[in-house]
Amino acid sequence: MSNQFDVIVIGAGPGGYIAAIRAAQLGFKVACIDEWKNGKGGPAPGGTCTNVGCIPSKALLQSSEHYDQAAHHFADHGITVEGLKMDVAKMIARKDTVVKQNNDGILYLFKKNKVSFFHGRGSFVKSADGAYEVAVTGEKPDTLTAKHVVIATGSSARQLPGAEFDEKLILSNDGALAVTEVPKKLGVIGSGVIGLEMGSVWRRLGAEVTVLEALPTFLAAVDEQVAKEAQKIFVKQGLKLELGVKIAEVKAGKKGVSISYANAKGEEQKLDVDKLIVSIGRVPNTTGLNAEAVGLKLDERGAIVVDDDCKTNLPNVWAVGDVVRGPMLAHKAEEEGVAVAERIAGQHGHVDFNLIPWVIYTNPEIAWVGKTEQALKAEGRAYKAGSFPFIANGRARALGDTTGFVKFLADAATDEILGVHIIGPFASELIAEACVAMAFKASAEDIARICHAHPSLSESTKEAALAVDKRTLNF
Ligand code: FAD
Ligand code: NAI
């Protein structure tokens, strides 16, 4: 029967489409089901990441960064720009083109790898005779069966009670990526990754951005030294940041949104903005799966319960990415997708959760991998720290971007690298060296002894490694 597969993958975000491709590479007959629709109702595989996440946000961050450079930094290079203007509609259209290129790329990859793609919602019907039956509902309803099912249904923005997303005034990431003119005043609730990245886009284009954060600490998961530096820089750039707030009420009116909240001292405050982005975390997508039909176990947050190997409570049913525990990152979802496909094939797929890098694509970028200094202190682990500022790096000076530093944390006795933290230009690219080094259990001295090209930002990585042994050469 043509609708009998070895593996059915539900969801074609980075977790699902990569799992499907890897399973097909390993010789399985694979189906992948995804319900995301583009503006014309057609398939748009790639999930949150491609449609309303990683890719479109980076497209807008790039456009707004170009504008900011032209407005404030070209003059340093002797370039005068007169009559600088921002065509927001064109910026959004470019972003949509980038998204479509990625959607099309995934459809091409499915064809290339002989993955059968089904556009619609996938939900469990039953399990019988060692196989699962999954219904596809959509324009072309279908029923598929397979021995293995990989669930990669992702996540959606968490709503603030009493402030439902209308995507016109109260925006999730979806609406925040589709604003058609620069708001005069933009409010952001939640100073996490989305709040900072999307706040940066609209601030660079001229919006007055106020971020309201519940926690008393800024970027609590980030290395404290980096978080402090970031806070100082963002505030200097013009971001208004209020920590330790308690939101009381959010009211959307005809023209804007009014937010009542208590500040850190408990004083009642009011903020009126043209638009409000609510970025207070995300919730797993499990409602459409009909999990009850097969007895799939969910936790109290609605996430699918899995073990370290992404196995659910059901035989041969796996789950990866945002719909399970762990950081909600595209590359984490991908790694889990690959590992699951390999486990289905009887191989030993592995994901090292300590080696998943994080990047916040603000300017300066923030990137890190491994342990923070505060975590090592809390563990009582003896460590050595070394850092190197970009201001002492020739390439950074030539670029005209000398903010930030690279910081190494290494075991006091063995010198093994335990964490690397970067704030500064191209931190997102520089962090890869740290991931490779840590995957090979390198010591700080190993990095310090490797020849790095001159002039390059990566010399700051080498110098920070040298700093662990207090022997920087250029600082
Ligand atoms: P998703 O990408 O959410 O994909 C799930 C797919 O499953 C969707 O297409 C959905 O429609 C589909 N689906 C759900 N239920 C069903 C069903 N029953 N039947 C059929 N299909 C279904 N991460 C990074 O690593 N780097 C970044 O720069 C980054 N930027 C981000 C920016 C924003 C604004 C946001 C919101 C997120 C960002 N992320 C980033 C996070 C990243 O997008 C997610 O971690 C990643 O998309 C998770 O992948 P996934 O495959 O688990 O799920
Ligand atoms: P987040 O978890 O990064 O940040 C949410 C913030 O909102 C936290 O600081 C939290 O304390 C605060 N908050 C929660 N409730 C609040 C309330 N009631 N009032 C005020 N503040 C409140 O979540 P975010 O920004 O929504 O992003 C979701 C996830 O998407 C991220 O955790 C990340 O995994 C992923 N992402 C990754 C990106 C990247 O890798 N560059 C970019 C964007 C998103």
Side-chain angles (χ1 to χ4, degrees):
M1 264 186 355
S2 66
N3 278 356
Q4 243 175 23
F5 292 88
D6 300 316
V7 182
I8 295 171
V9 181
I10 308 179
Y17 91 80
I18 289 291
I21 289 173
R22 185 71 190 117
Q25 282 177 347
L26 289 164
F28 293 111
K29 187 181 173 200
V30 183
C32 185
I33 311 168
D34 190 276
E35 63 180 346
W36 206 293
K37 288 181 184 161
N38 62 24
K40 293 177 182 155
T48 301
C49 169
T50 301
N51 292 295
V52 290
C54 324
I55 301 299
S57 61
K58 267 78 255 178
L60 296 190
L61 279 158
Q62 190 60 51
S63 300
S64 58
E65 182 58 23
H66 282 323
Y67 180 83
D68 190 68
Q69 288 289 330
H72 304 293
H73 304 290
F74 277 12
D76 298 342
H77 297 261
I79 306 167
T80 312
V81 182
E82 273 169 23
L84 181 69
K85 272 195 201 148
M86 187 67 217
D87 183 340
V88 176
K90 195 159 181 185
M91 172 181 82
I92 298 289
R94 174 188 175 273
K95 179 262 305 179
D96 291 341
T97 305
V98 174
V99 167
K100 187 169 182 315
Q101 286 165 345
N102 282 271
N103 296 141
D104 292 348
I106 295 167
L107 289 171
Y108 161 78
L109 289 171
F110 280 161
K111 261 199 192 138
K112 181 183 162 201
N113 289 284
K114 300 190 174 50
V115 172
S116 303
F117 178 67
F118 294 83
H119 190 211
R121 170 163 291 186
S123 41
F124 284 103
V125 180
K126 62 178 183 193
S127 65
D129 307 325
Y132 293 90
E133 197 174 301
V134 175
V136 182
T137 43
E139 273 176 18
K140 289 187 192 157
D142 228 323
T143 305
L144 320 179
T145 58
K147 180 177 174 189
H148 290 274
V149 179
V150 181
I151 303 165
T153 45
S155 65
S156 305
R158 186 157 78 86
Q159 308 235 19
L160 189 68
E164 274 71 48
F165 297 124
D166 60 16
E167 303 300 2
K168 288 192 176 74
L169 293 171
I170 303 179
L171 315 173
S172 70
N173 55 298
D174 204 337
L177 288 159
V179 174
T180 48
E181 60 183 90
V182 182
K184 265 208 180 103
K185 288 188 170 187
L186 174 71
V188 178
I189 300 184
S191 71
V193 204
I194 295 181
L196 291 176
E197 289 189 359
M198 297 316 302
S200 297
V201 167
W202 298 107
R203 182 197 53 73
R204 288 172 195 167
L205 299 181
E208 185 185 315
V209 180
T210 306
V211 180
L212 302 176
E213 165 62 45
L215 290 179
T217 334
F218 182 60
L219 287 177
V222 174
D223 186 85
E224 267 171 17
Q225 200 185 342
V226 172
K228 273 198 188 126
E229 182 75 4
Q231 183 172 352
K232 206 170 68 193
I233 296 167
F234 296 155
V235 169
K236 202 169 155 208
Q237 287 171 345
L239 191 77
K240 293 188 175 162
L241 182 63
E242 282 215 45
L243 301 174
V245 309
K246 195 165 188 305
I247 307 292
E249 194 184 30
V250 175
K251 255 197 207 156
K254 275 200 180 125
K255 284 195 179 153
V257 186
S258 186
I259 305 127
S260 311
Y261 64 97
N263 67 14
K265 292 181 195 150
E267 297 158 345
E268 279 180 27
Q269 306 286 317
K270 206 171 148 213
L271 174 71
D272 290 311
V273 293
D274 300 305
K275 289 189 189 288
L276 174 70
I277 297 175
V278 178
S279 46
I280 56 168
R282 299 179 61 80
V283 289
N285 291 332
T286 44
T287 43
L289 276 172
N290 197 20
E292 321 76 68
V294 284
L296 178 68
K297 199 168 160 195
L298 310 180
D299 69 13
E300 61 292 344
R301 292 182 315 128
I304 297 173
V305 178
V306 288
D307 66 8
D308 285 351
D309 287 348
C310 294
K311 278 186 187 146
T312 68
N313 65 312
L314 302 174
N316 303 325
V317 177
W318 313 74
V320 301
D322 281 13
V323 77
V324 304
R325 45 78 198 118
M328 290 186 169
L329 294 173
H331 41 283
K332 176 261 193 185
E334 290 181 15
E335 291 303 309
E336 286 183 335
V338 167
V340 160
E342 293 178 350
R343 284 173 200 137
I344 291 172
Q347 299 181 0
H348 302 282
H350 176 68
V351 181
D352 186 341
F353 286 95
N354 188 44
L355 288 186
I356 295 170
W358 274 85
V359 178
I360 308 178
Y361 293 82
T362 41
N363 185 359
E365 290 184 347
I366 299 169
W368 72 97
V369 61
K371 299 276 170 86
T372 60
E373 194 162 353
Q374 63 267 29
L376 291 175
K377 277 186 188 149
E379 279 174 22
R381 182 141 183 196
Y383 66 91
K384 298 177 286 181
S387 49
F388 186 82
F390 284 108
I391 195 139
N393 175 277
R395 182 73 193 281
R397 285 194 214 111
L399 280 174
D401 191 351
T402 53
T403 24
F405 54 84
V406 180
K407 170 174 173 178
F408 267 62
L409 298 167
D411 186 273
T414 65
D415 197 38
E416 182 184 342
I417 304 166
L418 303 175
V420 176
H421 304 270
I422 308 175
I423 174 165
F426 294 100
S428 55
E429 302 295 332
L430 294 173
I431 200 66
E433 181 181 5
C435 296
V436 173
M438 287 176 69
F440 284 92
K441 304 245 176 275
S443 62
E445 190 186 350
D446 288 330
I447 298 295
R449 286 190 180 277
I450 291 170
C451 181
H452 288 64
H454 176 78
S456 71
L457 296 171
S458 70
E459 287 173 291
S460 302
T461 309
K462 176 189 170 110
E463 290 273 6
L466 281 166
V468 170
D469 200 26
K470 298 194 172 38
R471 55 188 187 96
T472 51
L473 296 163
N474 283 286
F475 187 62

